Amino acid sequence: MYESLFQPLTLRGLTLPNRIVFAPTSMGLQPPQFLAHISRIAAGGAGLIVIGDVPVLPAPFFSLYDEKGFAFYAQITAAAHAHGAKISAQLHMSDSDLAGIKALLPALRAGKLTPDDLRREMNEMTGPYITGLPNETIEQIIAGFGQAAVLAQEAGFDMVQVHGDRMCGSFSSSVYNHRTDAYGGTPENRARFAVSCVQAVRRAVPDMPIEYKLAVRQENPHYGNAGVLVEELPVFLPLLDAAGVDCYEVALANHGALSDTIPPQDHPAFGGPGCFLPFCDAARQFTDRPLCGVGGLGDPDFAAAQVASGRVQYIALSRPLLADPNWPRLVQAGKADAIMRCIRCNRACLGGIQRHAGAHCIFDVRHRDMTK
């Protein structure tokens, strides 16, 4: 009954061994722990692992541009490949006003601002930052997407994901983008930055699959501030297709409460299974590219049914693979009842990130033998 999850999927010549993806996740772990975690996920049978937040430009932390960072990413790709998994780099460009954030840090350290307060302040700064970004800087960032893709390929990544939330999403959003030049105003203009980034990647690595993380926001009720309104998908998707996107991961846009984009089971709008799949349904009307569903897909019966029906072509899991990295192997072995299932409590995963303790799970099954 789970055959649909274990069919190969070919994207621009790259064949994924199955339809199960570890979604890009900000883990907040030290490099050795992060590497060990990725190894467990690969050994557990995920067909594709997406490494989140790979910097597009040189950065003070691990990046593809410095020797130590490049070596670390090469270790990660080797660990995934050792277990038969494919691996993707999520090319990430922050839209944070770093100077503005730096000015708030003394208040944070003094306890006058909470981490949630800081996040809200950061989101408020995004619009002025994007609107005032000089064109010369924009061109440098676009070129950086292509340069980072080349380095990712050299480090052993099999494909790349262009992060369509952060800077791409903020340029796309009329909430944040108030520019009056070629990058602002109409939906076509607001799509220009994301489209140019995809084009830069496609020119740099013509044979490498490109996934685009399509961040969708909605009104009535309002969720998400960056990204693309559902009503704007008829404009954005054909442009992204033409730029060279091979497939899409479709999710709710960010820059709101983290519990919206990582919704707990009691979330008022996104607490149910397949919570973001309606955004896939909306996107399907305007693209024929494979779609990856994400959000509330930890039940293998439900997930397999979505792929079998053609609603999505593959699925991304994050919290379910934190709860049990062996989820894919157990399902394939007919032992779905043995899975330690994510209960979407957000206590040790999102809660761990917010406490700067790293993303974990209340169920630690790292040493559990799947054969028992």
Side-chain angles (χ1 to χ4, degrees):
M1 61 186 297
Y2 303 117
E3 294 85 358
S4 63
L5 293 176
F6 297 97
Q7 297 297 315
L9 176 65
T10 299
L11 304 168
R12 195 173 284 264
L14 175 70
T15 299
L16 309 183
N18 59 49
R19 308 297 181 98
I20 302 166
V21 178
F22 178 58
T25 304
S26 298
M27 299 297 296
L29 299 174
Q30 292 300 311
Q33 290 74 35
F34 182 78
L35 181 61
H37 180 78
I38 295 302
S39 296
R40 289 193 296 271
I41 297 246
L48 175 67
I49 295 171
V50 185
I51 302 300
D53 300 340
V54 177
V56 163
L57 298 178
F61 46 92
F62 282 105
S63 85
L64 290 161
Y65 292 86
D66 67 79
E67 184 176 350
K68 188 176 181 180
F70 185 93
F72 179 59
Y73 284 120
Q75 282 185 288
I76 292 173
T77 61
H81 291 153
H83 296 287
K86 304 301 182 184
I87 189 158
S88 176
Q90 183 192 62
L91 301 183
H92 165 88
M93 185 63 208
S94 174
D95 55 3
S96 296
D97 181 348
L98 297 182
I101 294 169
K102 186 177 179 180
L104 293 174
L105 292 181
L108 181 70
R109 287 191 288 264
K112 297 178 181 178
L113 278 180
T114 68
D116 282 343
D117 292 334
L118 179 63
R119 179 178 173 80
R120 283 191 289 272
E121 293 285 348
M122 288 170 58
N123 288 340
E124 288 295 322
M125 295 176 190
T126 299
Y129 178 69
I130 290 296
T131 301
L133 204 62
N135 281 64
E136 180 181 359
T137 303
I138 293 172
E139 292 169 6
Q140 292 171 350
I141 293 168
I142 291 169
F145 271 87
Q147 294 162 2
V150 170
L151 291 171
Q153 189 174 56
E154 292 174 355
F157 285 98
D158 301 296
M159 60 185 286
V160 295
Q161 183 191 87
V162 173
H163 197 342
D165 207 330
R166 296 301 161 188
M167 186 167 280
C168 286
S170 291
F171 265 93
S172 300
S173 171
S174 59
V175 174
Y176 289 139
N177 183 348
H178 300 148
R179 301 178 70 95
T180 57
D181 61 3
Y183 291 101
T186 66
E188 291 83 358
N189 281 359
R190 285 185 277 110
R192 192 179 307 277
F193 177 79
V195 167
S196 298
C197 293
V198 171
Q199 290 171 332
V201 173
R202 177 54 65 223
R203 287 193 298 269
V205 287
D207 299 321
M208 202 175 194
I210 300 173
E211 182 180 56
Y212 188 84
K213 183 173 182 181
L214 181 65
V216 182
R217 63 187 184 90
Q218 70 172 43
E219 300 295 347
N220 302 316
H222 174 87
Y223 284 107
N225 290 315
V228 183
L229 275 174
V230 173
E231 293 79 8
E232 295 173 337
L233 290 172
V235 174
F236 276 77
L237 282 168
L239 290 171
L240 290 165
D241 281 1
V245 172
D246 295 297
C247 50
Y248 295 89
E249 178 196 330
V250 187
L252 178 70
N254 206 326
H255 294 72
L258 283 173
S259 58
D260 291 339
T261 51
I262 310 173
Q265 194 162 351
D266 61 356
H267 192 282
F270 303 116
C275 55
F276 299 144
L277 290 180
F279 298 137
C280 289
D281 299 337
R284 173 52 70 214
Q285 300 175 59
F286 308 107
T287 181
D288 61 359
R289 304 295 197 265
L291 300 180
C292 179
V294 65
L297 294 173
D299 178 70
D301 292 344
F302 180 83
Q306 308 314 303
V307 178
S309 70
R311 188 179 189 184
V312 293
Q313 285 61 57
Y314 57 127
I315 64 160
L317 308 174
S318 178
R319 289 174 294 177
L321 295 184
L322 293 179
D324 195 338
N326 288 319
W327 192 103
R329 292 209 185 280
L330 288 168
V331 171
Q332 190 169 28
K335 300 179 180 179
D337 289 344
I339 293 171
M340 188 70 73
R341 300 199 181 199
C342 169
I343 60 173
R344 297 178 69 183
C345 68
N346 280 0
R347 284 163 53 192
C349 49
L350 178 57
I353 294 171
Q354 291 174 318
R355 292 190 300 272
H356 303 288
H360 299 283
C361 182
I362 58 171
F363 307 122
D364 185 356
V365 296
R366 289 178 296 170
H367 306 295
R368 184 164 62 85
D369 183 349
M370 66 169 283
T371 64
K372 293 180 181 179

